[in-house]
Amino acid sequence: MSKTEPSSEREGQGSDFYEDVKRQHLAPLWRQRRRPTHGRAVPHLWKWPMLRAEMMRAADVVSTEDIERRVLGLMNPGLEKEGIFATTPNLVGAVQLILPGEVAVAHHHTPAALRVILESERAYTCTDGERCWMEPGDVILTPAWTYHDHGNEGDKPALWLDGLDAPLIQAMDTVFFERYPGQTQQPQQELHEASVRRFRVAGMRPAGYSWDKTYSPLTKYPWRDMVQALNEMPAPEASEFDDLRLEYFNPHTGGPVMPTIACYAQRLRGGVHTSRHRHSSVGIFYVFRGSGHTVVEDERLEWSAGDIFVIPGWHWHEHVNAASREDAILISYTDEPLLKSLGIHQEEADGSS
Ligand SMILES: [Fe+2]
Ligand SMILES: [Fe+2]
């Protein structure tokens, strides 16, 4: 055997060796099958009419009195084959429903979550005592280990997209979970949406304000503010990859809303066709308004309002909105801050186009 082949084995040696090391819980890494360490997740799109219909069927099957949460997880077909419950390796998306009068009981857990509201009239999320009313297009945070419960005081179903870093926290074997002691709902502050009032005017905050948590002190990012900011965004600030795109940010640090998850809203103007790029962070997108398509590698995802789709990490992608169409608005979340904090975020523009 050649000495230039480091993985080759010496002839006639080691027949007992492999059995001995296995018995002692040791693994010869040179025999491990080499496999790609990215690319297991695949692009996928879930159409809103299908999602909504299945959620309403779920309401016939289970009540929030009997289960912790009425949620259907968005299973990535590539990961599902490996028995992994996730939309991407680090993040999961799921659709949750509560009916009028229902309550999703107060609990907290180490996975962090955000909520993108799909349908709601007088439903709310309470995060660590702060009640935030939910309207379609709002983003509401329930960061790691914050107590949260949801209630619906309206007369229509309330649905939202949950975005969690649960697959990451599970991989770290650090999932902790507790119900709020002794009560289905946590005590709520009298003043609703206090954090929204605190930061209502961008660039101002209460004098002497301090905050020592790892996540944003702003619990809710209202859709009206997001739409207004996108409409007023100066055109020269458009990105060739994302058109007009804004980040929901932590007003205390200027950083992402939570340590592991960043959230964005983008406006794809009629006639825009973005340049192709790829990055190691993933994107889970909710189509808030409009329609168009996104090409991910050789797959074309045709989306319209209400649909949810995933762009896995390190997949070439470009967004297209036809000239004749109204502007589209996409709300998305990503594990980009996690990868950046580890110094491993990769990004590449397509130089061939
Ligand atoms: Fe939860
Ligand atoms: Fe991108």
Side-chain angles (χ1 to χ4, degrees):
M1 276 187 201
S2 162
K3 283 186 178 170
T4 59
E5 293 175 65
S7 64
S8 63
E9 292 164 20
R10 294 173 201 276
E11 264 178 274
Q13 301 288 317
S15 53
D16 298 332
F17 169 76
Y18 290 108
E19 283 176 25
D20 290 347
V21 291
K22 186 163 188 266
R23 203 170 48 247
Q24 294 169 100
H25 307 289
L26 297 166
L29 294 191
W30 60 89
R31 278 197 158 185
Q32 297 286 311
R33 188 161 64 94
R34 282 172 198 259
R35 49 188 297 177
T37 52
H38 59 265
R40 289 180 298 149
V42 298
H44 194 75
L45 179 140
W46 292 265
K47 295 300 287 182
W48 175 238
M50 177 281 291
L51 276 173
R52 193 181 192 286
E54 297 301 350
M55 288 309 301
M56 297 317 292
R57 287 178 70 199
D60 294 334
V61 175
V62 286
S63 152
T64 57
E65 283 179 19
D66 304 323
I67 54 163
E68 194 79 17
R69 295 288 190 263
R70 186 190 290 113
V71 170
L72 288 177
L74 305 172
M75 301 285 283
N76 188 290
L79 300 175
E80 200 174 17
K81 272 194 273 181
E82 301 185 19
I84 300 169
F85 172 87
T87 315
T88 74
N90 290 325
L91 303 179
V92 68
V95 179
Q96 184 165 168
L97 161 69
I98 54 173
L99 295 172
E102 282 188 332
V103 163
V105 298
H107 67 204
H108 67 174
H109 37 70
T110 47
L114 57 77
R115 327 283 169 175
V116 181
I117 313 310
L118 312 179
E119 281 184 20
S120 164
E121 281 176 35
R122 291 200 63 75
Y124 66 84
T125 289
C126 182
T127 304
D128 270 352
E130 180 187 2
R131 178 187 284 216
C132 292
W133 295 102
M134 303 197 284
E135 289 185 46
D138 289 344
V139 169
I140 294 178
L141 307 184
T142 58
W145 213 237
T146 56
Y147 276 109
H148 52 281
D149 50 85
H150 313 280
N152 187 351
E153 296 184 351
D155 54 13
K156 300 208 172 103
L159 294 117
W160 61 89
L161 168 65
D162 290 323
L164 292 97
D165 60 7
L168 170 77
I169 306 303
Q170 275 159 5
M172 293 197 293
D173 206 11
T174 52
V175 175
F176 289 80
F177 171 96
E178 286 175 343
R179 282 275 187 95
Y180 192 86
Q183 293 171 240
T184 54
Q185 288 170 282
Q186 63 186 304
Q188 295 184 2
Q189 297 154 12
E190 219 167 285
L191 183 64
H192 299 166
E193 308 196 344
S195 71
V196 181
R197 295 159 191 257
R198 205 169 281 136
F199 297 102
R200 169 55 71 190
V201 177
M204 302 204 79
R205 65 184 174 194
Y209 181 78
S210 69
W211 180 256
D212 61 2
K213 307 278 175 46
T214 58
Y215 50 84
S216 173
L218 183 53
T219 309
K220 168 176 160 176
Y221 295 75
W223 71 270
R224 275 177 222 278
D225 296 349
M226 176 270 286
V227 170
Q228 186 184 351
L230 277 178
N231 285 338
E232 293 180 6
M233 187 170 171
E237 285 169 18
S239 147
E240 67 170 301
F241 305 113
D242 289 296
D243 205 19
L244 295 163
R245 188 186 192 217
L246 291 167
E247 181 177 2
Y248 296 80
F249 76 103
N250 175 335
H252 194 60
T253 62
V257 290
M258 296 187 287
T260 51
I261 309 178
C263 190
Y264 292 92
Q266 69 196 92
R267 180 175 147 222
L268 297 170
R269 291 168 290 181
V272 89
H273 186 153
T274 65
S275 301
R276 229 161 72 104
H277 77 157
R278 62 179 177 176
H279 35 75
S280 49
S281 53
V282 304
I284 296 170
F285 292 77
Y286 166 63
V287 184
F288 179 53
R289 285 186 185 166
S291 57
H293 70 269
T294 296
V295 181
V296 187
E297 298 285 346
D298 54 3
E299 208 164 320
R300 183 177 159 128
L301 305 176
E302 293 279 354
W303 42 258
S304 51
D307 296 348
I308 299 169
F309 64 93
V310 56
I311 303 178
W314 214 238
H315 280 59
W316 292 108
H317 57 277
E318 59 206 290
H319 305 292
V320 184
N321 190 6
S324 55
R325 293 230 173 98
E326 60 167 333
D327 291 0
I329 295 179
L330 308 178
I331 300 172
S332 62
Y333 61 96
T334 166
D335 56 2
E336 179 189 318
L338 171 70
L339 273 58
K340 285 191 169 170
S341 71
L342 298 174
I344 59 168
H345 188 256
Q346 308 278 335
E347 193 168 358
E348 188 179 7
D350 184 6
S352 67
S353 56

